[in-house]
Amino acid sequence: MVTSYEKIPVQIFGTPQQGSRFAAEQIANLIRARQMEGRKCVLGLATGSTPISMYKELVKMHREEGLSFRNVVTFNLDEYYPLEREAVQSYWSFMHRHLFDHVDIDRRNIHIPNGEWRQEDIKRHCLEYEAQIDAEGGIDLQILGIGNNGHIGFNEPGSSIYSKTRLVNLENSTRIANAKDFQNISKVPRLAITTGISTIMKARRIILLAWGFKAPIVARSVEGDVTEQVPASLLQQHNDCLFVVDEQAAAELTRVKSPWLTGEVEWTPKMIRKAVINMALKLGKPVLSLTNHDYTENGLGDLLVEKGDAYEINLQVYYLLRDSITGWPGGKPNANIPHHPERSTPHPKRSLIFSPHPDDDIISMGGTFMRLHDQGHEVHVAYQTSGNIAVTDEFVTRFLDFAVGFEDLFGIDSEKSRTILQEARQYLADKKPNQLDTDEIRQIKGLIRRCEAAATCRYVGLKEGQWHFQNLPFYETGTITKNPMGEEDVRLTMELLRQLKPHQVYCAGDLADPHGTHKVCLDVIFESLRRIKAEGDEWVQDCWVWLYKGAWQEWDITEIEMAIPMSPDQVMKKRYGIFIHQSQKDMVPFQGSDSREFWQRAEERNANTANLFARLGLTQYAAMEAFVRWHY
Ligand code: F6R
């Protein structure tokens, strides 16, 4: 039955790493098969964050399993225009950094559209690129990622199925999504050279990879109509295309979202909650108003057969929703409420909020943060990384000017400080787009963010000693690409946990986000807690972990286990708390494809959660923050 919904085969993996391993194996098998036949293997390759771990796997296979790339010919999908090859952001650099520099490929077999071509020559070069692909016998296996708007390569919505390699205009959402690799959005090239949809469709086999937050566009491409408005949906017309996705990216497929429509399911309480809430939202009815008729009409007849009358099921779900709402994130003192999300004792609690960047605490759980403090708990915040990469050069220059002015004003004459300031100002003034910051500039950027974070803690009411800057080393590469979790990251985190012995820990539960900082930050906490537990520390037996979502999304309404309401005043107070992070205001370099500022996103997200609860028939609050518990 799955296939009646899915018009492209989809293989779902538990994690992006498993999916990447699978894709790498497909490539390796093909390379080896061609080697046996004494033939070349022609690969179409993609860039972006998605295929990075697949390339890592390939490099590993080369090193450890002797996979040779001598017979491999590659054609990359695209390149920014104009952009020098050597720029760190170029796809030429990307491919060398992640793959070519680490394997034995013959450099003459590498083809990447060139962002240095003169505009008047581009047409000719594009024709040559197509001709080169044909001359190699066509692409055997094309790897693709997918943009949030459904683009493949840089074929934005509206691209024709007949399109070939050409110069294209990038959509604003694409430029915003890719701004993370540049200093800011204005530095992202407006144009790109991309192979066309017809070029992609000619590949003998296609594997499209998608992880994490791509779920809506994956579902539209696989289950929706074939339309040039969703370029990836055109792949429905290819006869050997496979989507390789992780669980998060599969979340909107009918077989995952409404599995009862595609086969038999086991009606666990979680599954019932999911089915009933989704049905209520779809029908625009409060949970308690759903009828037997609604259940049968919406493919939930089986549930009625198994569990009885609709009203009984409605009540069960309604109570779950009702019991998840509480104004007492640290538990309600002197009260015995059996289904309350948190324990009432001990009171007060020691709560530790882990914030991956210096502002995630206030953005994602500012209301809860303030409530915890106001209700007398001892709240600590651990800022896991310095966040220095997200401070613009313009912003740091403002502070350098201030420091120079301060010295002038008071006649401070320190040669060391003067040298650092002058050098930093000069460096920034002459900085090229592909240049990394000096150590000093990075430290100053980090300091700016530390001051903002401390100011937020003071604003909430915390005292010195209640905020901790971890500066986890995995983050300090000076580039967008971070290191994986290391021993030192875990050691520092275990040390802090043991020092504070919290009763409650909050952390950014961005379980998707395969390469991002949030995921590493989360892995570090999970690993630290598991080790502490294994080593038998007593306090950890009773330490609860609550996951908030990072700045990008909210938990699905069907998953939320603790919802903390906010009054209109608290919403305003949170807004001002976010404003303290001035370096992140106006120009937000890492906002994904969403151009709203952080405070706007936070407010809309919290209002949206409150509205969803109200639509389901619960009390209408102004805003709500949401949490899911992690058991370990
Ligand atoms: C990359 C490319 C793009 C990306 C897409 C997703 O060569 O052509 O189509 O695959 O923009 O990007 P990430 O993987 O960064 O989410």
Side-chain angles (χ1 to χ4, degrees):
M1 264 206 280
V2 166
T3 45
S4 62
Y5 287 93
E6 293 172 16
K7 295 174 233 160
I8 299 175
V10 182
Q11 210 157 321
I12 305 174
F13 291 84
T15 63
Q17 283 68 30
Q18 289 163 357
S20 302
R21 175 77 198 175
F22 171 82
E25 277 163 1
Q26 300 305 301
I27 294 178
N29 292 345
L30 185 67
I31 297 177
R32 289 197 181 108
R34 286 288 145 95
Q35 272 161 7
M36 305 270 277
E37 298 163 14
R39 288 170 60 195
K40 285 185 192 166
C41 171
V42 186
L43 298 176
L45 297 179
T47 55
S49 56
T50 308
I52 293 177
S53 38
M54 181 191 76
Y55 292 136
K56 228 180 240 166
E57 287 293 336
L58 286 172
V59 172
K60 203 163 130 206
M61 288 175 176
H62 170 69
R63 289 202 181 127
E64 295 172 12
E65 299 163 28
L67 176 68
S68 167
F69 286 72
R70 296 307 298 175
N71 66 327
V72 173
V73 179
T74 63
F75 287 92
N76 261 80
L77 283 167
D78 39 22
E79 180 60 282
Y80 292 110
Y81 187 83
L83 191 64
E84 304 110 66
R85 276 188 159 188
E86 300 296 332
V88 259
Q89 300 89 349
S90 80
Y91 287 163
W92 191 87
S93 300
F94 175 101
M95 286 309 300
H96 285 77
R97 198 162 57 240
H98 291 289
L99 183 66
F100 299 146
D101 285 348
H102 314 287
V103 296
D104 60 345
I105 190 166
D106 182 342
R107 307 281 132 163
R108 286 167 304 181
N109 288 344
I110 296 172
H111 305 87
I112 303 177
N114 190 337
E116 293 175 358
W117 287 332
R118 289 189 313 172
Q119 193 144 0
E120 53 271 35
D121 294 336
I122 286 190
K123 272 210 174 114
R124 184 165 55 83
H125 281 302
C126 289
L127 282 171
E128 278 168 13
Y129 201 71
E130 293 272 340
Q132 280 173 322
I133 298 177
D134 291 342
E136 294 292 352
I139 290 172
D140 293 313
L141 173 56
Q142 173 69 57
I143 300 295
L144 296 175
I146 180 170
N148 275 320
N149 58 6
H151 72 219
I152 46 177
F154 274 140
N155 294 286
E156 300 283 32
S159 297
S160 152
I161 190 145
Y162 303 110
S163 54
K164 294 203 161 103
T165 306
R166 68 207 185 284
L167 190 62
V168 292
N169 207 23
L170 293 178
E171 267 201 0
N172 206 36
S173 64
T174 302
R175 294 183 64 234
I176 293 170
N178 292 6
K180 61 184 185 316
D181 298 334
F182 292 82
Q183 275 166 308
N184 61 52
I185 175 80
S186 68
K187 299 270 182 354
V188 184
R190 290 179 186 281
L191 304 175
I193 301 162
T194 181
T195 54
I197 306 259
S198 82
T199 330
I200 293 172
M201 294 295 276
K202 274 197 295 189
R204 280 183 273 283
R205 187 175 174 211
I206 299 176
I207 295 182
L208 183 145
L209 310 173
W211 323 129
F213 58 89
K214 302 274 175 70
I217 195 66
V218 166
R220 269 185 82 190
S221 310
V222 171
E223 298 188 359
D225 294 337
V226 176
T227 160
E228 287 172 347
Q229 292 314 310
V230 182
S233 70
L234 301 171
L235 297 170
Q236 290 181 21
Q237 296 180 343
H238 194 279
N239 59 17
D240 192 359
C241 174
L242 174 70
F243 275 38
V244 170
V245 304
D246 70 343
E247 276 171 9
Q248 300 270 337
E252 292 290 322
L253 294 173
T254 305
R255 71 163 130 156
V256 178
K257 194 165 182 171
S258 316
W260 46 91
L261 295 179
T262 57
E264 273 196 27
V265 296
E266 193 194 333
W267 286 112
T268 59
K270 264 193 174 166
M271 189 65 87
I272 296 175
R273 179 171 70 170
K274 182 170 169 158
V276 174
I277 291 177
N278 282 334
M279 170 169 54
L281 291 174
K282 184 171 139 213
L283 299 179
K285 279 185 165 187
V287 168
L288 292 178
S289 302
L290 295 168
T291 61
N292 285 327
H293 180 71
D294 293 330
Y295 276 69
T296 19
E297 284 276 282
N298 286 279
L300 293 176
D302 278 3
L303 182 55
L304 288 183
V305 172
E306 208 171 300
K307 300 285 171 196
D309 188 57
Y311 198 66
E312 289 305 316
I313 307 172
N314 293 348
L315 276 173
Q316 183 188 330
V317 174
Y318 177 82
Y319 291 147
L320 273 176
L321 286 164
R322 186 198 61 187
D323 294 341
S324 67
I325 302 174
T326 175
W328 300 87
K332 191 166 185 178
N334 309 319
N336 181 13
I337 314 170
H339 299 294
H340 195 276
E342 249 298 351
R343 308 144 291 173
S344 52
T345 54
H347 184 90
K349 289 191 172 57
R350 210 162 23 258
S351 307
L352 171 57
I353 301 173
F354 279 104
S355 181
H357 296 99
D359 54 357
D360 291 302
D361 52 345
I362 189 80
I363 291 173
S364 295
M365 55 168 290
T368 309
F369 182 6
M370 292 187 267
R371 256 178 204 264
L372 284 167
H373 172 75
D374 295 345
Q375 290 169 357
H377 301 288
E378 182 187 327
V379 184
H380 290 258
V381 188
Y383 296 102
Q384 295 178 275
T385 71
S386 70
N388 55 13
I389 204 121
V391 178
T392 63
D393 294 344
E394 184 278 326
F395 199 84
V396 74
T397 304
R398 219 186 283 178
F399 277 76
L400 295 174
D401 287 351
F402 175 86
V404 171
F406 181 86
E407 288 191 339
D408 287 347
L409 194 61
F410 297 105
I412 298 170
D413 196 16
S414 150
E415 206 184 304
K416 186 171 177 199
S417 137
R418 188 46 60 109
T419 316
I420 293 176
L421 289 171
Q422 297 298 8
E423 283 180 4
R425 286 215 289 187
Q426 198 55 48
Y427 187 86
L428 290 170
D430 302 338
K431 190 172 157 185
K432 302 252 163 18
N434 57 354
Q435 253 180 319
L436 298 181
D437 283 334
T438 61
D439 220 28
E440 287 79 13
I441 295 173
R442 268 162 51 199
Q443 288 185 42
I444 299 167
K445 287 183 170 180
L447 177 63
I448 292 173
R449 297 211 68 181
R450 278 213 297 281
C451 294
E452 290 173 344
T456 312
C457 288
R458 265 185 245 113
Y459 172 76
V460 173
L462 269 49
K463 297 266 178 317
E464 193 93 31
Q466 285 179 267
W467 53 88
H468 312 261
F469 296 106
Q470 291 196 284
N471 278 329
L472 294 182
F474 84 86
Y475 182 88
E476 299 302 320
T477 56
T479 67
I480 307 293
T481 319
K482 306 291 182 262
N483 291 328
M485 165 172 93
E487 265 310 303
E488 185 60 6
D489 302 311
V490 178
R491 192 192 64 75
L492 287 167
T493 304
M494 287 175 73
E495 195 175 278
L496 184 68
L497 281 162
R498 283 191 159 134
Q499 178 200 329
L500 296 175
K501 301 190 179 49
H503 303 105
Q504 268 194 326
V505 166
Y506 291 86
C507 40
D510 295 293
L511 306 154
D513 182 21
H515 313 288
T517 298
H518 282 211
K519 175 71 168 69
V520 182
C521 283
L522 186 65
D523 288 344
V524 171
I525 302 167
F526 282 1
E527 181 61 22
S528 305
L529 282 167
R530 283 198 199 102
R531 285 196 202 176
I532 293 175
K533 194 162 199 174
E535 287 171 23
D537 289 33
E538 214 166 287
W539 63 271
V540 85
Q541 310 302 331
D542 201 29
C543 170
W544 286 24
V545 178
W546 290 102
L547 306 177
Y548 60 89
K549 276 269 181 178
W552 321 109
Q553 298 152 289
E554 187 51 278
W555 292 110
D556 190 273
I557 180 81
T558 63
E559 294 173 307
I560 296 171
E561 290 174 276
M562 179 162 78
I564 309 293
M566 287 190 282
S567 70
D569 280 350
Q570 284 169 326
V571 172
M572 285 308 286
K573 193 166 175 210
K574 172 170 170 175
R575 181 190 298 184
Y576 293 134
I578 297 175
F579 280 178
I580 293 173
H581 294 271
Q582 286 184 351
S583 71
Q584 303 302 295
K585 232 191 122 330
D586 303 329
M587 211 300 301
V588 192
F590 302 106
Q591 57 201 354
S593 51
D594 187 336
S595 61
R596 289 169 303 164
E597 285 191 27
F598 282 126
W599 67 273
Q600 291 170 313
R601 277 192 277 166
E603 269 177 32
E604 279 172 34
R605 155 182 167 180
N606 297 157
N608 183 43
T609 308
N611 290 338
L612 284 173
F613 272 95
R615 277 167 58 195
L616 293 168
L618 289 110
T619 310
Q620 171 85 59
Y621 288 94
M624 276 179 170
E625 289 174 346
F627 302 87
V628 165
R629 196 171 155 207
W630 180 66
H631 298 268
Y632 58 106

